[in-house]
Amino acid sequence: MLGTPAALRVGTVRKLNFSGGPGALPDCVLEAASEAILEVPGQGLSLLGISHRSPWFRDVVEEAEANLRALLDLSRSYYVLFLQGGGTLQFSMIPMSLLRGRAQPADYLHTGYWSGKAIPEARREGAVNVVWSGEEEGFRRLPRESELAVSAAPEYLHYISNETVEGLQFHRVVGREDLTRICDMSSDFLSRRIDAGRFSLIYAHAQKNLGPAGVTVVLVREDLLERIPANLPAMLDFRNHVRMGSIYNTPPVFAIYVTMLITRWLRDEVGGLQAMERLNRAKAQRLYETIDSSQGFYAGRAAVPDRSLMNVAFTLPTAELNVRFVEQADAEGFAGLAGHRTLGGVRASLYNGVTLEAVEALCGFMDFFRERYRREAL
Ligand code: PMP
């Protein structure tokens, strides 16, 4: 043991989880979920064996939707859907719905690993105009508005609000107001306030800030549904999910239940998205300060104005020290710190379920590690 602030045995889990996703969830939600696996309060059944057609589950879906609407102050002109297939299926479903058979291109921003996955899926369905790419610069910054080569009349504009791998986050809404704006918010949804009314479609899988893997939230403005072509596979047609209230087939009951608990926690315990954002800012600030005051021992990946509040990607002076850092941190109870497999380095993800105390403990470990190894790096 290195004598750092012990991270062991905090709440119900043994390690502090800084994983890029699935990530940390609040202890109170984990406790309620594990209780419901044995017996859903008042139902006499396990959560894992309860019918998706039961009145109880209908109430769960309704409450999850109502909580989301309240948290986002979402207008009635949007549908709230709980779908399967993750963020990845949305990479396909969106262009199938809005680009297939269309005359105009769709505009895409290429800002990192995940937008690099979305673009080829859109190309299967129609013309794609990449309005900006950070690839040549190694995805270390995000574009200014003036750098975007937007089409005259694109079918839609797609971007990712937070590039999970590189740790790049837009701190503004991108693109002209007259465009059909579509955003993948998988890694920062419900972590901060947003003006949902400025988007035509927002999607976010649950496994970062809103629950376990298995469910993806889609907010879609009703007028978009009119553009969907006929003859899509039924499961890939948003209209079927709207019509059936997200119970078109057997939905992931467990994942939706936990997502509902998270929205309830955000509403009642945290006190809404403004309070959540304040906390997330404090967490990120603490960690970036530790990086910036390390005299170059820790080097942040992203350009300072585009730094993510959710995913803090950084490197140490040598590849060997990167590995040693992740290993020793893990032995001290700080889990999930290895950078994405395509990038290496270190990544600390600070999703909603990560507490300020956990970040304080990590910063303590980082100071300790630097003191111990900085001479080796000289
Ligand atoms: N979009 C973003 C921003 C992501 O971070 C990820 C995965 N981490 C995906 C999409 C893909 O999501 P999934 O694995 O749920 O398909």
Side-chain angles (χ1 to χ4, degrees):
M1 297 296 276
L2 296 174
T4 53
L8 303 177
R9 201 79 228 163
V10 175
T12 53
V13 286
R14 210 169 53 78
K15 291 183 173 180
L16 296 177
N17 190 356
F18 293 94
S19 167
L25 294 176
D27 285 343
C28 59
V29 167
L30 295 179
E31 276 157 21
S34 49
E35 192 187 315
I37 284 180
L38 295 178
E39 185 190 343
V40 176
Q43 296 299 307
L45 290 169
S46 162
L47 176 57
L48 304 185
I50 204 160
S51 169
H52 59 291
R53 304 274 173 215
S54 62
W56 175 81
F57 185 64
R58 202 153 263 297
D59 288 349
V60 168
V61 174
E62 272 174 24
E63 182 182 339
E65 172 173 346
N67 291 346
L68 277 169
R69 286 189 183 279
L71 287 165
L72 296 164
D73 195 16
L74 190 65
S75 114
R76 280 279 146 203
S77 55
Y78 290 81
Y79 294 111
V80 177
L81 301 176
F82 300 96
L83 305 183
Q84 300 187 63
T88 303
L89 186 58
Q90 291 311 306
F91 294 163
S92 302
M93 240 170 120
I94 288 164
M96 279 176 137
S97 306
L98 302 173
L99 189 57
R100 184 176 286 192
R102 293 288 191 164
Q104 299 299 324
D107 282 359
Y108 275 71
L109 273 76
H110 188 194
T111 48
Y113 179 84
W114 286 109
S115 41
K117 294 281 179 193
I119 290 166
E121 295 306 312
R123 286 210 165 105
R124 294 176 197 273
E125 301 295 339
V128 170
N129 173 27
V130 175
V131 298
W132 186 82
S133 173
E135 194 166 19
E136 279 183 12
E137 296 174 49
F139 300 123
R140 286 175 183 273
R141 71 172 186 98
L142 295 173
R144 291 181 298 278
E145 217 48 34
S146 58
E147 293 177 276
L148 304 180
V150 180
S151 309
E155 296 295 341
Y156 60 86
L157 171 79
H158 178 281
Y159 74 99
I160 296 187
S161 54
N162 184 71
E163 284 282 5
T164 322
V165 171
E166 292 82 3
L168 292 163
Q169 186 177 30
F170 280 106
H171 300 292
R172 67 171 198 274
V173 172
V174 175
R176 293 196 320 260
E177 291 308 317
D178 61 309
L179 301 179
T180 296
R181 185 185 279 127
I182 295 183
C183 192
D184 175 358
M185 297 193 188
S186 287
S187 49
D188 65 3
F189 190 57
L190 303 187
S191 72
R192 58 177 176 178
R193 289 165 299 168
I194 52 162
D195 185 352
R198 293 175 70 185
F199 297 85
S200 300
L201 190 152
I202 292 171
Y203 62 101
H205 63 202
Q207 64 264 29
K208 316 292 198 224
N209 285 306
L210 42 152
V215 64
T216 298
V217 174
V218 177
L219 313 178
V220 55
R221 218 178 49 214
E222 56 194 0
D223 58 280
L224 246 57
L225 301 183
E226 291 157 20
R227 303 192 207 169
I228 297 176
N231 293 325
L232 289 186
M235 187 66 181
L236 304 184
D237 190 330
F238 286 117
R239 292 170 299 194
N240 288 327
H241 298 284
V242 167
R243 195 164 46 80
M244 299 306 287
S246 295
I247 313 184
Y248 178 71
N249 69 331
T250 313
V253 171
F254 174 78
I256 293 176
Y257 180 66
V258 179
T259 297
M260 183 280 284
L261 292 176
I262 290 284
T263 61
R264 194 189 275 175
W265 169 77
L266 278 168
R267 194 195 60 189
D268 298 343
E269 307 291 323
V270 177
L273 294 188
Q274 190 169 0
M276 193 69 248
E277 177 175 333
R278 210 177 302 125
L279 182 59
N280 283 331
R281 281 189 188 285
K283 283 151 48 183
Q285 196 177 346
R286 182 74 182 82
L287 185 47
Y288 284 119
E289 270 166 19
T290 298
I291 291 171
D292 292 341
S293 63
S294 72
Q295 292 162 334
F297 186 79
Y298 299 112
R301 256 204 118 257
V304 172
D306 306 319
R307 281 175 161 178
S308 169
L309 303 183
M310 294 281 101
N311 309 99
V312 179
F314 58 95
T315 51
L316 284 79
T318 64
E320 203 261 317
L321 276 173
N322 283 331
V323 173
R324 198 181 296 178
F325 177 89
V326 172
E327 278 174 9
Q328 289 198 10
D330 194 71
E332 291 296 307
F334 302 97
L337 284 165
H340 191 261
R341 61 186 188 283
T342 55
L343 213 61
V346 182
R347 175 179 54 169
S349 297
L350 310 180
Y351 300 129
N352 288 350
V354 175
T355 62
L356 183 56
E357 293 71 35
V359 178
E360 294 283 354
L362 176 63
C363 292
F365 172 77
M366 287 170 68
D367 287 341
F368 177 90
F369 190 92
R370 177 172 72 100
E371 270 312 305
R372 178 152 179 187
Y373 290 105
R374 84 196 145 106
R375 267 176 221 93
E376 266 184 40
L378 292 178

